[in-house]
Amino acid sequence: MKELINCLEQENTDIDSVDKLFTVANSPWGDKAKRALVADNKLIIGLSRMFQLHMTGEHGNIEIFKTVKEAKDWLRIQ
């Protein structure tokens, strides 16, 4: 399973940005999942890095990117 989480449209950090991250924690995909999170807001990137450290492993591989193209390339999707 592959998932792209795009947080680029967030002009400010609100509960919706953080909520996207915690949706991953409840995902049934397990350790085979690949998730690419795209963000350019420093706070969202920081929260995402903490989330990545906590969740990678039993919830699959989570990587953080600054562009959608980089994320899609890593996920190998168009």
Side-chain angles (χ1 to χ4, degrees):
M1 301 296 267
K2 299 176 183 180
E3 180 178 25
L4 190 145
I5 303 167
N6 188 347
C7 295
L8 289 178
E9 301 299 318
Q10 301 293 328
E11 292 182 15
N12 56 29
T13 306
D14 57 16
I15 195 66
D16 290 335
S17 301
V18 177
D19 191 46
K20 287 179 184 179
L21 297 176
F22 290 104
T23 300
V24 173
N26 297 318
S27 171
W29 292 358
D31 63 354
K32 303 292 186 240
K34 279 183 84 170
R35 293 180 177 89
L37 189 136
V38 184
D40 57 1
N41 177 297
K42 289 182 183 182
L43 181 56
I44 294 173
I45 291 170
L47 290 170
S48 300
R49 294 256 181 248
M50 289 188 293
F51 185 77
Q52 176 187 35
L53 290 172
H54 179 71
M55 298 305 291
T56 296
E58 68 182 79
H59 292 282
N61 194 357
I62 302 167
E63 293 294 332
I64 301 156
F65 300 92
K66 291 191 176 182
T67 69
V68 172
K69 182 187 180 330
E70 291 172 322
K72 286 183 174 183
D73 288 348
W74 181 74
L75 289 170
R76 296 184 180 164
I77 62 173
Q78 293 183 344

